[in-house]
């Protein structure tokens, strides 16, 4: 291809030169062609890119199409039911509710519901009245001195650094208006989280915000921040669904001097949080750390977040709670399909237990040990609709957190550039120019409306199922497609006399 490029290019250049000499036209084209040939020659002698070496100019189109591949996929190829991690239909319902506009759809479902993986709610022919009051859940076990009344839906952990300053401010102001909490993420409590909204302060393995000079836990710094009035709960991060067993990742391009100062690290370097905590190294130490944080915070709700891996380890934690007679006020369960700003692909795709079995396991294990009534279970895993809230509660959750749902409410378009600092909507970037596109005054209203309208949708589904309270929700209100073959066998007319109630 290189030979053809030069043969054709030089031939055209010669003809263009002759035309210019004879007719005094084509100078601009001749200059452009000369520049193309020079670029092509430079590419043939470089040794880094094989495609450009073999296709001196055409090779650039490969990189162009690769760069815009997510946009091509999203705008020209995807159907409304396609798209990963979230389909266009799922994203659209968040946008509509965030904008507080009509969120209905016409003509019927676009899903193939005659499949074994179909899930639906068993509605009642005697629905209850829809409750207009948004549900709340009290968090605080037997040793908690400052229980917190939490919304059923809240903002999951997203750090300043992963998200932009404007995004964090808009989220917190939306939380203030909607009276729900905002999890800081492991990046620490910053001034951008302190806009009047309730805060759950997450303590990760890097101890950002309560970190000593050696990178360990500083109890004095923790005590100072933990007793701020806006800090309602404290969450110890053991692991995250998208990269369990791997510490948090902040790419160097997003580690500004401001973020580095907040975290106590070197600016413009990639920050890798340790995989595990230095304040404890076993189940005994974890429960003792829970007790220590409860004491230092004057009795605020203390919990921990994890993605389930070895089930025996969680069982050992439960046993240690009983041994020490010390219980966290809440446990946040993340699924392996959870979101992240940056993670190695091997960890995102191949480590950790998915959300559904993890939530079922945690709930059943707490029941087995007889301690379920002492601990609230918070779930985090692709919660973006009223249906997903009811489903999570049926599997064992008391409270739901959502990260990417609230990102969509800010305007995120699933561009898949969170780790590159080039987020086009200003949500997941530290680029000041891109950040300006996110107008806080508009977006915090969208955060508020998404929360309100999603919980109202959950209330409507609850009423459709004939229930008066979320406490009545269990797995029996759901049906699965793989049940239908059994149902069709039972309900042929000849069998109606012998059928039992389903």
């Amino acid at each position: 291809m290189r030979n053809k490029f030069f043969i054709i290019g030089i031939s055209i250049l010669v003809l263009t030169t002759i035309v210019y000499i004879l007719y005094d036209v084509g100078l601009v084209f001749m200059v452009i062609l000369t520049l193309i040939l020079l670029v092509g020659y430079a590419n043939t002698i470089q040794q880094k890119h094989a495609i450009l070496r073999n296709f001196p100019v055409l090779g650039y189109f490969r990189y162009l199409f690769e760069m815009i591949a997510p946009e091509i996929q999203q705008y020209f190829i995807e159907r409304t039911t396609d798209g990963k991690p979230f389909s266009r239909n799922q994203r659209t319902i968040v946008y509509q509710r965030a904008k507080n506009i009509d969120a209905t759809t016409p003509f019927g479902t676009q899903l193939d519901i005659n499949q074994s993986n179909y899930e639906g709610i068993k509605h009642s022919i005697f629905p209850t009245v829809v409750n207009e009051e948004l549900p709340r859940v009290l968090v605080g076990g037997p040793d908690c001195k400052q229980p917190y009344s939490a919304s059923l839906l809240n903002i999951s952990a997203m750090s300043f650094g992963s998200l932009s300053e404007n995004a964090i401010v808009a989220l917190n102001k939306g939380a203030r208006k909607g009276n729900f909490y905002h999890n800081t993420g492991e990046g620490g409590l910053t001034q951008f989280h302190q806009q009047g909204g309730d805060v759950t302060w997450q303590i990760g393995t890097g101890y950002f915000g309560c970190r000593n000079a050696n990178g360990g836990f500083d109890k004095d710094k923790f005590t100072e921040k933990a007793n701020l009035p806006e800090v309602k709960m404290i969450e110890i991060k053991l692991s995250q669904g998208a990269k369990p067993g791997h510490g948090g990742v902040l790419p160097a391009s997003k580690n500004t001097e401001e973020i580095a100062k907040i975290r106590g690290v070197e600016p413009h370097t990639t920050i890798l949080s340790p995989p595990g905590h230095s304040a404890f190294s076993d189940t005994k130490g974890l429960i003792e750390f829970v007790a220590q944080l409860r004491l230092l915070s004057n009795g605020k709700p203390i919990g921990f977040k994890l993605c389930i891996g070895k089930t025996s380890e969680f069982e050992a934690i439960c046993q240690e709670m009983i041994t020490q007679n010390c219980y966290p006020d809440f446990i946040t369960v993340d699924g392996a399909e959870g979101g992240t700003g940056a993670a190695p692909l091997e960890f995102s795709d191949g480590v950790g237990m998915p959300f559904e079995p993890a939530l079922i396991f945690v709930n059943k294990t707490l029941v087995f040990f007889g301690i379920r009534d002492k601990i609230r279970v918070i779930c985090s895993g692709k919660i973006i609709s009223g249906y997903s809230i009811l489903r999570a509660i049926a599997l064992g959750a008391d409270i739901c957190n959502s990260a990417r749902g609230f990102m969509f409410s800010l305007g995120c378009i699933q561009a898949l550039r969170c780790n590159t600092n080039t987020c086009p909507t200003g949500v997941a970037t530290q680029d000041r120019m891109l950040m300006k596109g996110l107008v806080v005054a508009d977006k915090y209203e969208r955060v508020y409306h998404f929360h309100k309208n999603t919980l109202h949708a959950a209330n409507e589904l609850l009423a459709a199922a004939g229930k008066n309270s979320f406490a009545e929700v269990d797995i029996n209100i759901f049906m699965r497609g793989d049940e239908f073959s059994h149902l069709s066998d039972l309900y042929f007319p000849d069998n109606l006399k012998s059928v039992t109630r389903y």
Side-chain angles (χ1 to χ4, degrees):
M1 189 63 191
R2 282 177 292 179
N3 293 337
K4 290 182 180 179
F5 168 76
F6 286 114
I7 291 172
I8 295 173
I10 292 173
S11 299
I12 296 175
L13 179 60
V14 170
L15 290 174
T16 304
T17 303
I18 294 173
V19 170
Y20 174 70
I21 293 172
L22 295 177
Y23 302 103
D24 197 27
V25 295
L27 177 62
V28 173
F29 183 71
M30 185 172 64
V31 171
I32 292 173
L33 190 58
T34 301
L35 291 174
I36 291 174
L37 285 168
L38 290 173
V39 170
Y41 174 73
N43 283 334
T44 61
I45 62 175
Q46 59 84 30
Q47 300 179 9
K48 187 176 181 181
H49 301 288
I51 290 178
L52 290 178
R53 190 173 171 87
N54 290 330
F55 302 88
V57 175
L58 289 178
Y60 284 113
F61 286 95
R62 184 262 183 188
Y63 297 107
L64 171 64
F65 291 134
E66 184 181 56
M67 182 176 65
I68 63 174
E71 287 79 9
I72 293 175
Q73 177 73 24
Q74 188 175 118
Y75 298 129
F76 300 106
I77 299 175
E78 280 183 10
R79 298 173 299 175
T80 56
T81 55
D82 291 337
K84 298 292 183 181
F86 294 91
S87 71
R88 185 184 297 271
N89 277 348
Q90 290 173 317
R91 302 194 303 269
T92 298
I93 195 172
V94 177
Y95 299 146
Q96 290 170 332
R97 287 176 174 162
K99 295 176 183 178
N100 203 30
I101 61 177
D102 180 22
T104 59
T105 58
F107 222 66
T109 181
Q110 298 177 34
L111 301 176
D112 186 354
I113 63 175
N114 291 303
Q115 297 292 323
S116 61
N117 61 352
Y118 169 75
E119 288 185 353
I121 290 176
K122 299 175 183 176
H123 69 281
S124 172
I125 60 172
F126 306 109
T128 59
V129 176
V130 177
N131 189 356
E132 295 301 324
E133 183 178 349
L134 301 185
R136 304 194 71 81
V137 179
L138 188 66
V139 182
D143 297 323
C144 180
K145 296 179 181 178
Q146 300 185 56
Y148 173 61
S149 177
S151 171
L152 185 63
L153 176 64
N154 305 277
I155 302 170
S156 194
M158 294 182 285
S159 303
F160 171 54
S162 178
L163 265 57
S164 70
E165 167 189 327
N166 288 12
I168 295 293
V169 171
L171 288 171
N172 196 261
K173 287 188 173 183
R176 178 188 65 191
K177 183 169 182 177
N179 193 22
F180 53 99
Y181 72 72
H182 178 192
N183 192 308
T184 65
E186 70 169 291
L189 179 65
T190 71
Q191 66 268 35
F192 308 118
H193 294 97
Q194 297 172 287
Q195 305 295 315
D198 292 345
V199 168
T200 292
W201 181 21
Q202 186 180 87
I203 309 297
T205 56
Y207 303 111
F208 302 123
C210 55
R211 173 187 178 98
N212 61 28
N214 298 319
F217 177 69
D218 188 315
K219 67 177 183 179
D220 293 328
K221 290 181 180 179
F222 171 82
T223 302
E224 179 185 354
K225 290 186 174 67
N227 285 283
L228 292 171
E230 59 268 31
V231 176
K232 303 300 181 182
M233 303 196 297
I234 292 104
E235 179 180 82
I236 304 164
K237 177 184 174 183
L238 301 180
S239 56
Q240 176 184 351
K243 46 181 181 278
H246 190 288
V249 179
L250 181 66
S253 61
K254 299 177 77 171
N255 182 20
T256 65
E257 293 187 8
E258 180 181 33
I259 292 168
K261 183 178 179 181
I262 290 170
R263 298 194 180 196
V265 295
E266 288 295 320
H268 312 299
T269 59
T270 297
I271 303 302
L272 299 174
S273 299
H277 282 263
S278 59
F280 56 89
S281 58
D282 54 20
T283 55
K284 182 175 182 291
L286 168 61
I287 302 306
E288 289 175 346
F289 193 58
V290 168
Q292 181 185 11
L293 298 192
R294 183 178 286 128
L295 179 65
L296 295 175
S297 64
N298 289 309
K300 289 186 177 180
I302 310 294
F304 57 81
K305 174 181 180 178
L306 81 168
C307 175
I308 296 295
K310 296 179 181 178
T311 56
S312 59
E313 291 181 340
F314 184 76
E315 292 168 350
I317 291 173
C318 293
Q319 184 60 62
E320 188 63 34
M321 294 177 197
I322 297 171
T323 300
Q324 295 191 31
N325 193 28
C326 177
Y327 306 92
D329 299 288
F330 64 91
I331 296 173
T332 303
V333 182
D334 201 3
E337 62 272 58
T340 181
L345 184 64
E346 295 91 341
F347 280 82
S348 289
D349 285 355
V351 182
M353 186 181 293
F355 171 76
E356 180 176 329
L359 186 54
I360 293 172
F361 167 74
V362 167
N363 182 59
K364 295 292 186 182
T365 303
L366 294 175
V367 171
F368 175 79
F369 280 93
I371 58 177
R372 181 64 178 87
D373 61 325
K374 303 177 186 296
I375 302 170
R376 294 295 189 187
V377 175
I378 303 173
C379 71
S380 176
K382 302 185 77 171
I383 305 293
I384 62 167
S385 66
Y387 180 88
S388 58
I389 290 174
L390 256 71
R391 185 173 180 273
I393 292 172
L395 296 175
D398 295 304
I399 297 171
C400 298
N401 285 352
S402 176
R404 287 170 290 184
F406 281 101
M407 287 178 68
F408 289 141
S409 75
L410 289 172
C412 167
I413 59 172
Q414 197 169 284
L416 306 181
R417 295 183 183 176
C418 308
N419 60 334
T420 65
N421 204 36
T422 59
C423 170
T425 60
V427 176
T429 180
Q430 300 306 315
D431 186 309
R432 288 284 173 182
M433 186 196 74
L434 294 171
M435 201 187 305
K436 288 181 180 179
L438 197 160
V439 180
V440 172
D442 172 61
K443 301 304 183 184
Y444 91 83
E445 291 283 351
R446 296 193 183 190
V447 170
Y448 161 73
H449 286 301
F450 167 66
H451 172 267
K452 178 183 177 181
N453 291 329
T454 302
L455 281 184
H456 178 72
N459 280 347
E460 289 185 316
L461 288 173
L462 184 73
K467 306 296 183 182
N468 293 296
S469 166
F470 285 94
E472 300 176 38
V473 174
D474 59 28
I475 203 65
N476 292 317
I477 74 167
F478 286 85
M479 66 181 84
R480 295 181 65 98
D482 53 13
E483 301 172 16
F484 298 161
S485 59
H486 177 60
L487 286 172
S488 62
D489 290 339
L490 283 177
Y491 284 92
F492 278 116
D494 290 344
N495 295 335
L496 285 177
K497 290 182 180 180
S498 61
V499 73
T500 57
R501 289 187 180 181
Y502 190 77

